[in-house]
């Protein structure tokens, strides 16, 4: 699993309408997860959202933001990138913070060589399900 890691420094008082931006360029076809580490002292005052262009990828719904304090927020994903390379943006703001905060941002991807294996597994599973449905008479 190739993992892209970088840090985003969000200055104290950064407004949501002019966020700090970190661009991570992904070379693989599929993003399988994201992680954002909020260091001690953030106290939920640093907000992070992940974008591809103008589309908010995470968190959902659009307009939501991740927050935390001395924790890593992570989740599995299965997002097929629309282009290669693909630039994913982490946008951060902290309008009430009194000092700068640096969060660690990670994008986890599936290696290119595993893509065909995953596709073959899905096709095999689909054929098995069709076969079992036919045997038991389910349409």
């Amino acid at each position: 699993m190739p993992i892209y890691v970088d840090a985003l420094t969000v200055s104290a008082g950064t407004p949501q309408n002019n966020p700090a931006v970190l661009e991570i360029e992904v070379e693989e076809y599929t993003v399988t997860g994201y992680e954002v580490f909020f260091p001690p002292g953030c106290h939920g005052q640093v907000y992070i959202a992940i974008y591809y262009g103008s589309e908010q990828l995470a968190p959902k719904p659009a307009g939501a933001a991740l927050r935390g304090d001395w924790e890593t927020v992570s989740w599995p994903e299965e997002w097929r990138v629309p282009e290669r390379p693909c630039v994913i943006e982490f946008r951060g703001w902290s309008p009430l913070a009194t000092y700068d905060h640096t969060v660690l941002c990670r994008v986890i991807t599936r290696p290119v060589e595993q893509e065909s294996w995953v596709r073959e597994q899905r096709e095999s599973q689909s054929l098995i399900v069709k076969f079992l449905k036919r045997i038991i008479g389910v349409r």
Side-chain angles (χ1 to χ4, degrees):
M1 272 187 285
I3 301 175
Y4 297 83
V5 181
D6 209 339
L8 173 61
T9 299
V10 182
S11 300
T14 300
Q16 184 175 1
N17 64 357
N18 189 21
V21 176
L22 168 66
E23 292 183 345
I24 294 181
E25 190 173 283
V26 174
E27 295 289 335
E28 288 71 29
Y29 290 106
T30 305
V31 172
T32 60
Y34 298 100
E35 296 180 350
V36 179
F37 172 69
F38 294 92
C42 286
H43 301 296
Q45 294 182 353
V46 178
Y47 300 82
I48 300 291
I50 303 169
Y51 284 82
Y52 168 68
S54 62
E55 176 188 359
Q56 184 171 333
L57 300 175
K60 297 291 186 184
L66 303 171
R67 304 180 339 165
D69 184 51
W70 202 358
E71 65 183 307
T72 298
V73 178
S74 64
W75 62 97
E77 188 70 55
E78 190 71 23
W79 184 64
R80 182 86 171 170
V81 301
E83 61 183 332
R84 286 182 58 215
C86 181
V87 176
I88 297 172
E89 287 186 355
F90 288 77
R91 298 179 188 175
W93 61 96
S94 57
L96 301 178
T98 54
Y99 56 94
D100 300 352
H101 295 280
T102 300
V103 298
L104 296 178
C105 303
R106 301 178 186 106
V107 179
I108 304 160
T109 62
R110 180 174 21 259
V112 172
E113 57 271 8
Q114 285 185 2
E115 288 294 323
S116 62
W117 179 83
V118 170
R119 186 178 25 23
E120 289 169 5
Q121 290 295 315
R122 287 186 184 139
E123 289 171 1
S124 296
Q125 290 170 353
S126 176
L127 290 172
I128 290 169
V129 168
K130 286 178 184 178
F131 174 73
L132 291 174
K133 285 182 175 180
R134 194 171 56 176
I135 287 177
I136 61 175
V138 177
R139 292 200 177 251

